[in-house]
Amino acid sequence: MNARLDEALGDPLAPGALLNPAAVLAADERHEPFTAADAVLRAHLPLDAFIPRSGDGPPIPPGRLMEMGRSVFRHDAGLAARHGIPGLAAALDLWTAVGTLPSSGHVERLLAGATVVVGGGTYLHGSSTGPLLSGEARLLGTAHDGLAVLSVRTEEGLRGRLLMDLARLDPGRSSLGPEQELSGLRGCTLRKLTFQDCPLPADTTLDVPLRGAFTQALLPAMAIGTLDTQLRVVLRFARERVIYGRPVAEIPHSRSLLVNVFLDLLICDCLTGMATEPASTAELVPALLRNAGNELSMLLGARSYLREGDYGIFQKHRRDLSVLLALGFIPPAPAHPVHTILDLPVPEQLESLRTLFKGMDSDKRYGAVTAAAAACLTVWHTHRGEPFLGETDWLAGAWRRLATRLGRHPRPLADEARDRIFAELIRRADHRETFDLAGRPFTG
């Protein structure tokens, strides 16, 4: 199913692809969503793929949903948002964390075409008649009369979330403000929903205190696809742009920046694959994605603001991702001290790097970073003996990137190792393969 979706969407930078950059940018300049691929996405990734009907989970396993969602984000985060993927991912995580199936009423609404919006900022408090909502929530979506996943805080100070049917709210205790256009995610709007001691609809699903599930990592794992395309665009620029008689990609600083972003992308993918670390994923991956986009924009320079031409799609991906991470993402469950598996054997030349993470997993400030280091080590062990992922260059580079987030400053990666990582990046670009762990070729 994922191969069929990839084939239908094609190479995200190919001029002849359904979601080709020129057509997407032209629609974006008109402040319109590019809807040519909407029907394709509905056919290959229907909304009911996210709806669990039994204790076995949704019809498409979360891992496969992640791969398919990443393919969509690789082309257009706006398309993913219009399709309701952020809200559906949040709803799936809530159902999974609570260990319940969606109510029959919610299923009927979703199958009838209702979307799921996400928002937060509300206050849940008790009364003699049951829990009540007060405060304001900003709702991100294409329609605001369907279902909503809201983050809440209780009078005891606990964080939580709930899934409710907006159409069943008491109109005397809730009001919906006008639509506000966003700077990105064309076709989506922001609306303010105000509650004043509003009772919850009877079929509301509550998750208080907030729990995390593997699916909590679903949306950030999908969003990695956006960074894949940003890196692809800037790599193309660096190979095509000549300065002082040589391509930008051959300048050591530029090459190091591209390698670092490639490593950050791999770190994100390693962490999203750890079923035991959903909170760490939800905490660290969005930060890495934002930072990587900022680094790439520095290499692209003034061209990072261009809204047309060969590199114009970069600013749209960066802008859409910023809006999505700011508004379309339910905050993660509080991360508990993680029990990493950094005790797996490593080659002697990596031992000094590993010591930088030892004992840091008990510190809540660094738990997500240590979990990411352990996830990278696990992936390396899984692929030992294989080209690239089974070699130590990328692991050494990834650990150095993560160590800087602990305030450590290890010695720079050896030039030879950096060159080999860059060679892998170039190989994947030339063979039209994804930059994540899968390294899959585009089939379209």
Side-chain angles (χ1 to χ4, degrees), residues 304-323:
S304 66
Y305 298 101
L306 291 178
R307 303 169 67 89
E308 60 185 7
D310 293 340
Y311 315 120
I313 198 67
F314 173 86
Q315 60 80 27
K316 176 180 167 18
H317 276 286
R318 187 182 177 209
R319 173 167 43 90
D320 284 352
L321 183 61
S322 296
V323 173

Side-chain angles (χ1 to χ4, degrees), residues 241-296:
R241 172 70 170 163
V242 175
I243 186 170
Y244 302 124
R246 57 177 175 171
V248 169
E250 293 184 8
I251 298 173
H253 174 75
S254 301
R255 179 171 294 199
S256 292
L257 189 150
L258 291 166
V259 166
N260 286 341
V261 172
F262 183 29
L263 290 170
D264 284 350
L265 193 154
L266 293 173
I267 291 169
C268 289
D269 204 10
C270 288
L271 190 52
T272 59
M274 292 284 284
T276 58
E277 300 296 343
S280 296
T281 296
E283 174 187 339
L284 183 59
V285 170
L288 289 174
L289 294 178
R290 289 191 191 94
N291 185 69
N294 292 340
E295 290 196 53
L296 289 172

Side-chain angles (χ1 to χ4, degrees), residues 38-70:
D38 287 19
V40 171
L41 187 55
R42 284 194 295 271
H44 291 281
L45 187 56
L47 297 182
D48 62 357
F50 290 82
I51 305 173
R53 306 295 183 81
S54 69
D56 296 330
I60 300 177
R64 181 64 60 83
L65 280 176
M66 181 276 291
E67 292 176 0
M68 298 178 74
R70 189 176 293 179

Side-chain angles (χ1 to χ4, degrees), residues 195-219:
F195 301 98
Q196 186 173 5
D197 294 334
C198 182
L200 302 180
D203 57 355
T204 297
T205 304
L206 278 170
D207 178 24
V208 179
L210 185 65
R211 287 164 283 187
F214 173 59
T215 48
Q216 187 178 17
L218 195 57
L219 183 59

Side-chain angles (χ1 to χ4, degrees), residues 84-168:
I85 288 177
L88 288 164
L92 176 58
D93 181 61
L94 189 151
W95 291 320
T96 305
V98 175
T100 187
L101 297 177
S103 69
S104 58
H106 288 175
V107 171
E108 289 175 6
R109 294 272 280 138
L110 289 169
L111 295 182
T115 59
V116 183
V117 296
V118 291
T122 50
Y123 174 60
L124 184 70
H125 55 104
S127 73
S128 59
T129 58
L132 303 175
L133 274 177
S134 295
E136 298 177 349
R138 298 178 303 169
L139 304 181
L140 173 70
T142 55
H144 301 85
D145 57 356
L147 306 181
V149 178
L150 305 181
S151 62
V152 299
R153 190 173 292 275
T154 71
E155 52 193 334
E156 294 85 11
L158 298 174
R159 289 173 50 199
R161 57 187 168 174
L162 55 82
L163 173 64
M164 63 163 53
D165 189 339
L166 296 175
R168 300 187 63 185

